[in-house]
Amino acid sequence: MSESLPEPNMPNWGGGAKCGACEKTVYHAEEIQCNSRSFHKTCFICMTCRKGLDSTTVAAHESEIYCKSCYGKKYGPKGYGPKAPRPSSANSNPNKFAQKFGSTDRCPRCTKAVYAAEKIMGAGKAWHKTCFRCLLCGKSLESTTVTDKDGELYCKVCYAKNFGPKGRGLGNLGVVEEND
């Protein structure tokens, strides 16, 4: 008895859309949608630098997806990016170009340049979105969940455990009352 294939007009039970990057089936549990196209979570990466993307870092151009930094370099205003010519007068202030495009900021966590498209401010410093995490537990942080101490970032739970108030009357059961 030979096994027959389903007819072309039959529904694809359990199947899904095709991934915009690898063309393989994307099942609902692993699907990310962008510009009416589906992607596997692992395929949702910048076409230039291969960084992982999410809804806050993706920039789409027709059927291509990029991180905001690579998108700006490829499709942004003329002169944006590292290959822009510098006028000879820039030698009087070598940081002028870098200041204009944000490359003078260095991420305190990885020490690499932080460009405007990927910059998050915290503890008075510029951070990459991927580096904007609690130093102790690694949890990704946002402006509403970040706490800083001595220039480092912490989630509120780790900050409270390590730097919060300690002692009697602060929820400790160590308070002993003496009876006469």
Side-chain angles (χ1 to χ4, degrees):
M1 202 172 191
S2 67
E3 193 174 309
S4 63
L5 297 173
E7 293 184 30
N9 293 338
M10 295 297 290
N12 183 5
W13 304 111
K18 297 290 182 200
C19 176
C22 73
E23 298 296 321
K24 293 182 181 174
T25 301
V26 180
Y27 296 96
H28 183 69
E30 59 185 355
E31 181 180 32
I32 295 179
Q33 290 191 343
C34 178
N35 281 5
S36 303
R37 297 175 67 215
S38 296
F39 294 87
H40 295 104
K41 289 178 185 175
T42 55
C43 293
F44 199 60
I45 57 176
C46 175
M47 294 185 73
T48 302
C49 70
R50 315 292 289 165
K51 280 185 190 173
L53 301 172
D54 63 32
S55 62
T56 63
T57 59
V58 69
H61 182 81
E62 296 173 1
S63 64
E64 301 171 335
I65 55 174
Y66 300 94
C67 67
K68 290 182 178 179
S69 180
C70 290
Y71 178 88
K73 290 173 188 170
K74 189 165 184 170
Y75 299 107
K78 186 176 180 181
Y80 179 83
K83 293 181 182 176
R86 295 197 334 188
S88 60
S89 64
N91 292 339
S92 62
N93 185 357
N95 289 329
K96 195 171 193 175
F97 179 83
Q99 287 171 347
K100 184 173 182 180
F101 297 106
S103 65
T104 55
D105 290 326
R106 294 262 170 206
C107 176
R109 184 73 38 88
C110 70
T111 69
K112 293 182 180 174
V114 180
Y115 296 93
E118 56 190 353
K119 182 178 1 182
I120 294 181
M121 294 301 292
K125 301 173 187 170
W127 302 74
H128 294 109
K129 181 168 177 43
T130 54
C131 296
F132 200 70
R133 299 180 167 277
C134 175
L135 178 67
L136 300 176
C137 71
K139 180 180 177 184
S140 185
L141 301 170
E142 296 177 11
S143 61
T144 57
T145 59
V146 68
T147 309
D148 66 273
K149 179 173 175 62
D150 301 327
E152 260 308 340
L153 304 177
Y154 301 93
C155 68
K156 291 186 177 185
V157 172
C158 288
Y159 183 89
K161 281 182 190 174
N162 291 280
F163 309 110
K166 294 173 178 69
R168 295 178 177 226
L170 297 171
N172 291 344
L173 299 175
V175 177
V176 178
E177 292 182 19
E178 292 183 23
N179 292 333
D180 289 322

